[in-house]
Amino acid sequence: MTVPTRSKGIATRPLIITLIVIAVIAVLGFAYASPYIALNNLKRAADARDVQTVNQYVDFPALRDSLKLQIAGLLTRRLDADNNSKLATIGAMIGVTLIGPLVDAYATPDGVAALLNGMPPSGNPGEHPPEAPAANNAPPAAAETPASPAAADNSNAAPAQRQTSAGYRSLNEFAVTYRRGGEAAVHYSAIFRREGLFTWKLAAINLNE
């Protein structure tokens, strides 16, 4: 006895609906996880100085613009804290000449590696990104949360004091925030922005968290 074609169609309909639901959930899950994946991929590529992969995950023009604004703001805040007007004027002139070289130094794979390892620019003359750990020499990240990048700080900081967190700030913005207490307090964030549904790129730095 053969089953009518209509009955077969009715029987397969729930299976089709189930498969569609599973596919939608999988797409949404991947879309939600995509910035975390981009962060991990960029972190590994930057530590390995894989320039081609770093270029895929960094919007360098946007990052350069952000660095210019942030470093200028950093120097302005530093000068505002100086009550000596003459020194402040000299400092402002020096600061202008510092911004370009600092931006050039940090808008590079070395700079990205430093930023993702908790080492932002401090605005010092002649500053270059501190040497971040290479991927194959990086210490184990057992103490870090899955969402945070594996980071090794400089030798003057106490690793136990540093906290790193990552998460959405909006539908199209994802931030990794670095906090370190003690005398050399550091609070800043690396900001990723969405391009399309699944693509995220490092596009800004906020040095005034």
Side-chain angles (χ1 to χ4, degrees), residues 8-207:
K8 287 183 178 180
I10 294 173
T12 58
R13 190 173 300 167
L15 177 60
I16 294 173
I17 294 174
T18 300
L19 292 175
I20 292 174
V21 170
I22 292 173
V24 170
I25 292 174
V27 170
L28 292 176
F30 184 76
Y32 178 83
S34 57
Y36 294 93
I37 295 171
L39 169 61
N40 288 332
N41 289 345
L42 176 57
K43 174 69 170 56
R44 291 177 182 175
D47 286 345
R49 305 306 189 269
D50 180 351
V51 176
Q52 184 174 358
T53 303
V54 169
N55 288 339
Q56 294 176 5
Y57 288 99
V58 179
D59 183 346
F60 276 109
L63 181 61
R64 289 181 65 88
D65 290 342
S66 175
L67 283 167
K68 285 180 183 178
L69 290 174
Q70 292 298 311
I71 294 172
L74 178 68
L75 295 173
T76 299
R77 291 190 296 274
R78 188 176 296 172
L79 292 172
D80 287 343
D82 190 346
N83 294 324
N84 189 318
S85 59
K86 290 184 178 179
L87 289 178
T89 301
I90 295 172
M93 295 173 63
I94 296 174
V96 171
T97 64
L98 284 177
I99 293 175
L102 266 174
V103 170
D104 291 340
Y106 273 85
T108 62
D110 284 343
V112 170
L115 291 170
L116 296 183
N117 278 284
M119 296 178 282
S122 58
N124 295 322
E127 180 181 4
H128 286 82
E131 186 176 349
N136 55 352
N137 294 325
E144 298 196 20
T145 60
S148 62
D153 213 328
N154 58 43
S155 58
N156 294 326
Q161 294 180 327
R162 205 181 76 220
Q163 299 177 352
T164 306
S165 60
Y168 281 88
R169 289 190 174 177
S170 68
L171 183 63
N172 297 315
E173 187 171 288
F174 179 88
V176 188
T177 303
Y178 302 83
R179 297 183 179 88
R180 184 176 69 225
E183 296 181 359
V186 173
H187 305 284
Y188 78 101
S189 61
I191 299 169
F192 288 72
R193 295 201 175 106
R194 186 194 298 273
E195 292 188 2
L197 184 58
F198 302 118
T199 303
W200 292 80
K201 289 187 176 184
L202 176 63
I205 295 294
N206 188 340
L207 298 178

